[in-house]
Amino acid sequence: MSERSTTVEGRSLPPGGVTRFTPREGFLLAALCGAIFLEGSGIALLTIALPRIREDFGASTGELSAIASAYVIAYGGFMLLGGRVADVFGRRRVFLAGLIAFAVFCVLGAAAHEVWLLLAARFVAGAASGFMTPAGMSLITGTFEEGPRRDRALVFYGAATAAGFALGAALGGLLTAVHWRWVLFLPALLAVVILALSVATIPRDGKPGPRAALDLFGALKATAAAVLLVTAITRLEDPAEGTTTTGLLFVSGLALLALFLVRQRSASAPLVPPRLLRAPGVLRADAAVLLFAAGFYAFQFLLTLYLQELLGWTPVQTGLAFVLMSLEVVIAPLLTPRLLGRFGTRSVTVLGLLAGVAASAWFLPAGTEWGMGWIAPPLVLVSLAFAFAYGPLAISSTSGVDDQGAASGLFNAAVQFGAAIGLAAAAAVYSIALGADSGTAAGLDAFRIGVWVPVVAFAAASALGLTGRRSSPSPQATDTEG
């Protein structure tokens, strides 16, 4: 390999494309990856437990969707404010504060004995994550210079995210077999361990600069818009809710979203700087990851109901099957950087998104006689989708921008809003198709119809990915030496 410095996509790469991390960088990356693993596993842990929560609380499908969505709505709604707060007050301070709050409200959620208390605890825990995640991601982008080293760090970060989803599902199955409340106690215990590692490895922030204005009302508008839109989608599952009220919720949500975007152009301290809104590559990546997250969460939600309520699998069996999605942990660090180096980000991203389409479409003809031989292939495809799409989309959304906190917040907000919309849409379509019939045949038909939600979401993301600018391959990115 040549030792000359190379320029790719307008950036200068180090000679030989050295991507190894120093021990200090490695420990810091481990702490940050541990946190995003924790957040991902917290979502997956609860997803597996939803049928047992339904039994304890007598919850409807819509309420189950709301329990899952409460976390991701707050997560996405406060992500933009969290990114801005991290830039102003210090990334380490915000990261550690968010981690502590996350642990506290996981414990409170585990102790809840009514649906509304569990919803409230999950909402606040999501808000805490909304501050923690952009601070963590901007610590990565601020520590590793743009180029192969940052790309590799973000690939590891994406792998940790997917590992949380997949391994969290497996742990969720085992813990739910004991009691579903353990799926909230465990993240709190893990948070304490990660907190100790973070305090020891993340460098202290410098003295805070002059206090800049924070657009708190902007964050509340974004969160309220998400709540209204997701609630409107969820209400579609029950025609008795009334079309007029549902329509008003849709209109109000869209109006708040429009007001938020207009405000960002004139605010003195916007959560989304206008220069980010003028960056088509960033917006395209964020829109694609929103659709990707909608497809993934809808897929996981529907598959959980299918395996446990239609096939009669136990939570342990369901969780162990979901371990196949954790193959991404191996694929992403070893293979994704090499593919990025050879084919560029657009080609690899589209490959991952198409794998998502194939995984969800696999279940369109699903039957009640399906065994593990039929279930395993699409779960492997989902692991490939995460390996080839999530990390490259994170790279695209943060490349060539100075506002790393805001860019990280925007990307992660798109992930969480997509998750909330995907969950609500899947629950609504499933419930509408099911109607009043609770029989197995009706449930199977409802599942087959519901699967169209992730199919369409992944396909739309793929189409959006194809419109992106083709990136030049980087031979240096194939060097994955640690």
Side-chain angles (χ1 to χ4, degrees), residues 15-235:
V18 177
T19 60
R20 67 179 59 182
F21 303 138
T22 66
R24 184 184 186 89
E25 291 171 337
F27 283 119
L28 181 145
L29 184 60
L32 300 177
C33 285
I36 199 66
F37 172 89
L38 172 64
E39 293 154 26
S41 67
I43 298 169
L45 283 165
L46 191 68
T47 299
I48 295 295
L50 289 177
R52 294 300 174 89
I53 293 174
R54 186 204 293 272
E55 293 176 6
D56 271 12
F57 291 116
S60 67
T61 301
E63 287 175 322
L64 292 183
S65 172
I67 290 170
S69 296
Y71 180 88
V72 294
I73 288 172
Y75 198 166
F78 286 94
M79 194 79 69
L80 298 175
L81 181 63
R84 178 64 178 159
V85 169
D87 285 340
V88 173
F89 291 95
R91 296 162 183 172
R92 183 181 189 269
R93 296 185 185 95
V94 173
F95 178 81
L96 296 179
L99 188 58
I100 293 169
F102 174 86
V104 169
F105 281 91
C106 278
V107 172
L108 294 178
H113 286 277
E114 295 185 35
V115 170
W116 73 268
L117 287 173
L118 179 57
L119 283 170
R122 292 297 289 167
F123 186 88
V124 180
S129 295
F131 286 87
M132 176 169 46
T133 298
M137 189 169 173
S138 59
L139 279 167
I140 290 178
T141 57
T143 300
F144 302 97
E145 67 276 9
E146 187 171 334
R149 298 178 76 253
R150 181 190 293 178
D151 290 355
R152 187 177 180 228
L154 287 172
V155 165
F156 274 105
Y157 194 68
T161 304
F165 293 141
L167 297 179
L171 288 172
L174 295 172
L175 294 172
T176 302
V178 179
H179 200 286
W180 69 262
R181 295 184 187 279
W182 275 101
V183 305
L184 296 177
F185 277 127
L186 181 63
L189 296 175
L190 292 175
V192 174
V193 175
I194 295 169
L195 178 65
L197 179 61
S198 300
V199 169
T201 58
I202 300 176
R204 291 185 177 276
D205 297 312
K207 292 184 178 179
R211 291 289 187 262
L214 294 174
D215 189 6
L216 179 59
F217 287 111
L220 293 177
K221 286 178 187 175
T223 304
V227 171
L228 291 172
L229 289 172
V230 171
T231 301
I233 295 171
T234 303
R235 285 171 62 92

Side-chain angles (χ1 to χ4, degrees), residues 413-462:
V415 172
Q416 302 309 320
F417 283 150
I421 292 170
L423 283 167
V429 171
Y430 180 85
S431 295
I432 291 172
L434 185 62
D437 192 342
S438 59
T440 300
L444 182 59
D445 288 339
F447 171 74
R448 290 170 175 169
I449 294 172
V451 164
W452 279 103
V453 173
V455 169
V456 171
F458 282 128
S462 302

Side-chain angles (χ1 to χ4, degrees), residues 251 255 273 457:
V251 172

Side-chain angles (χ1 to χ4, degrees), residues 235 238-243:
R235 285 171 62 92
D238 185 1
E241 294 283 0
T243 56

